[in-house]
Amino acid sequence: EKSGFPHFMLKEIYEQPQTILDTMRGRYSFEEGEADLPDIGLTNEQFAAVGRIWIVACGTSWHAGLVGKYLLEEMVRTPVQVDIASEFRYRNPLVEKNDLFITISQSGETADTLAAAREAKQKGARVVSIVNVVGSTLARESDGILYTHCGPEIGVASTKAFTGQLTALYMLALHLGRVRGVLSKADGKAWLERLVTLPTLVKRILAREAEVVAIAKRFYKKRNFLYLGRGINYPIALEGALKLKEISYIHAEGYAAGEMKHGPIALIDRDMPVVVLAPRDRLYEKTVSNLMEVKARRAPVIALVAEGERELGMTADAVFTVPDTHPLLSPILFAIPLQLLAYHVAILRGADVDQPRNLAKSVTVE
Ligand code: M6R
């Protein structure tokens, strides 16, 4: 059932070109430049009336939600608040009627996420959930649903569900952007054209797994890792760090690159590899200067950069190039090498990647 792969996690990483496609399949019209989301549960008028957007989730799904904030605020120009479900539900949140409340969950059974959705519903918000498991409790209790259609995810470390969630968020952002008049038909078409190239780009990254293995071999004995990203790739730094700690038991932290000088820089020395995410976007130069500060303190730098990039390639100790794409789509591509890195570091350390200690696939306790 692992289709020849040594672990479910690796199999699921490799399924992503297909699962990303499955999340999009049949859900858009090129001619209209629009997403077609029949189960979304809200009429165009209701979407147009939405005041604020909330995204609430846990763990990796919360990271997808953080990417969603950058995406929705850019594509829909509506304020988005992202919360960890266990924080949201206990603080008497200021949800109002006409708010759009998005939850994200692979399992659809996470206790805190479910409780948050119930609370929001009770306060009059409309709940739309991005869920992988068909017929799960969250799917049944939501007003609208966007299935990720990734198939069963067995590995405790979430991989294909995460990129499925991001893909679903693009579809939702496209729909909202069109309905609310922020995106024109031509804009919508341009988005769809970019989206459909993702599976091929992911395949190209997977074909270079050996490069990630080489990086893992150089650094797997380290005890701490720092992951830095900016803007829409800041949540990907968090996700990269979470993947590493879950399955390799190495302490890892994700940080917004610009925050480094406000504290974590004190930790940096030659024993702390720093993974830097540097897509070609308007923040690129800023990220390069953060990297220089890291280098000056002799930390080994693992740079993930856009193809064709030279500057960082010269300074970093290890470089992995990622196909150049629209900045808002880059998170999906940057997530893939980080999944592979966590996987190979864990394997080199002899850890059981499919069943990491102390973790359950779905967290139904509060
Ligand atoms: O099923 P859910 O998406 O609601 O699960 C949320 C988290 O428990 C989950 O993402 C967890 O953080 C994963 N083990 C991450 O790899």
Side-chain angles (χ1 to χ4, degrees):
E1 67 214 83
K2 290 182 203 146
S3 325
F5 287 95
H7 299 95
F8 282 109
M9 182 180 175
L10 193 62
K11 170 178 176 264
E12 288 160 3
I13 289 174
Y14 269 85
E15 280 172 350
Q16 290 174 110
Q18 186 60 45
T19 50
I20 291 169
L21 198 68
D22 291 342
T23 302
M24 291 187 261
R25 198 195 300 279
R27 287 171 151 182
Y28 57 85
S29 148
F30 252 124
E31 293 70 56
E32 299 302 320
E34 235 292 40
D36 181 12
L37 310 171
D39 302 323
I40 205 68
L42 274 77
T43 61
N44 288 359
E45 291 68 36
Q46 285 170 328
F47 268 128
V50 162
R52 270 188 316 181
I53 302 175
W54 297 78
I55 307 181
V56 174
C58 303
T60 286
S61 300
W62 173 63
H63 295 155
L66 289 170
V67 173
K69 175 184 170 77
Y70 287 89
L71 213 60
L72 287 161
E73 290 193 344
E74 192 65 36
M75 290 173 69
V76 188
R77 305 305 294 159
T78 302
V80 179
Q81 167 138 5
V82 186
D83 263 295
I84 294 171
S86 57
E87 286 298 315
F88 173 89
R89 61 177 293 203
Y90 293 119
R91 72 153 194 274
N92 197 11
L94 297 162
V95 178
E96 285 167 23
K97 267 205 175 58
N98 289 337
D99 281 1
L100 172 61
F101 190 85
I102 302 170
T103 69
I104 307 178
S105 175
Q106 189 287 129
S107 62
E109 304 294 345
T110 301
D112 286 322
T113 307
L114 265 171
R118 285 172 186 153
E119 164 110 22
K121 217 172 166 180
Q122 205 216 333
K123 291 194 156 150
R126 297 188 185 270
V127 178
V128 169
S129 295
I130 296 175
V131 174
N132 193 42
V133 176
V134 176
S136 54
T137 311
L138 194 58
R140 282 186 276 114
E141 292 192 8
S142 302
D143 300 304
I145 182 94
L146 227 168
Y147 281 119
T148 40
H149 292 308
C150 293
E153 189 181 63
I154 311 287
V156 167
S158 183
T159 53
K160 64 175 179 175
F162 179 64
T163 49
Q165 291 162 350
L166 296 185
T167 308
L169 283 163
Y170 288 111
M171 302 308 283
L172 189 58
L174 173 59
H175 183 56
L176 271 163
R178 291 288 279 118
V179 169
R180 289 166 74 89
V182 183
L183 301 175
S184 67
K185 192 191 265 194
D187 294 334
K189 282 184 182 172
W191 273 111
L192 286 166
E193 264 158 28
R194 292 183 196 113
L195 272 169
V196 296
T197 64
L198 282 174
T200 315
L201 300 181
V202 170
K203 248 187 221 158
R204 265 169 52 195
I205 296 175
L206 293 172
R208 293 169 35 230
E209 183 185 2
E211 293 174 39
V212 182
V213 176
I215 296 174
K217 281 187 177 151
R218 286 172 64 189
F219 300 108
Y220 76 96
K221 288 190 177 149
K222 299 288 185 192
R223 298 185 58 202
N224 300 284
F225 272 70
L226 189 63
Y227 288 70
L228 301 178
R230 276 181 183 266
I232 198 162
N233 281 295
Y234 158 52
I236 302 302
L238 298 179
E239 173 62 5
L242 176 63
K243 285 289 90 90
L244 191 71
K245 57 188 131 179
E246 272 190 299
I247 57 171
S248 76
Y249 316 131
I250 295 175
H251 167 242
E253 271 192 81
Y255 246 93
E259 261 302 282
M260 200 184 56
K261 54 186 171 298
H262 298 286
I265 198 162
L267 294 169
I268 291 177
D269 64 14
R270 62 181 72 214
D271 280 324
M272 172 90 114
V274 179
V275 180
V276 184
L277 311 183
R280 205 191 315 275
D281 60 14
R282 63 194 168 81
L283 299 171
Y284 177 78
E285 293 304 329
K286 302 264 179 214
T287 308
V288 172
S289 68
N290 297 138
L291 182 103
M292 295 306 175
E293 289 160 15
V294 170
K295 276 304 326 163
R297 285 155 186 89
R298 293 168 192 266
V301 170
I302 304 166
L304 271 61
V305 302
E307 261 163 21
E309 190 44 64
R310 293 184 170 274
E311 202 175 346
L312 276 185
M314 316 273 270
T315 355
D317 299 83
V319 178
F320 186 88
T321 60
V322 171
D324 202 5
T325 181
H326 189 285
L328 289 182
L329 289 179
S330 61
I332 290 198
L333 300 185
F334 279 81
I336 311 287
L338 297 185
Q339 296 168 349
L340 287 170
L341 183 65
Y343 174 81
H344 285 291
V345 167
I347 295 295
L348 288 161
R349 292 169 73 97
D352 178 353
V353 295
D354 281 339
Q355 293 291 327
R357 69 187 182 204
N358 308 340
L359 293 174
K361 182 65 187 161
S362 87
V363 183
T364 50
V365 292
E366 305 200 334

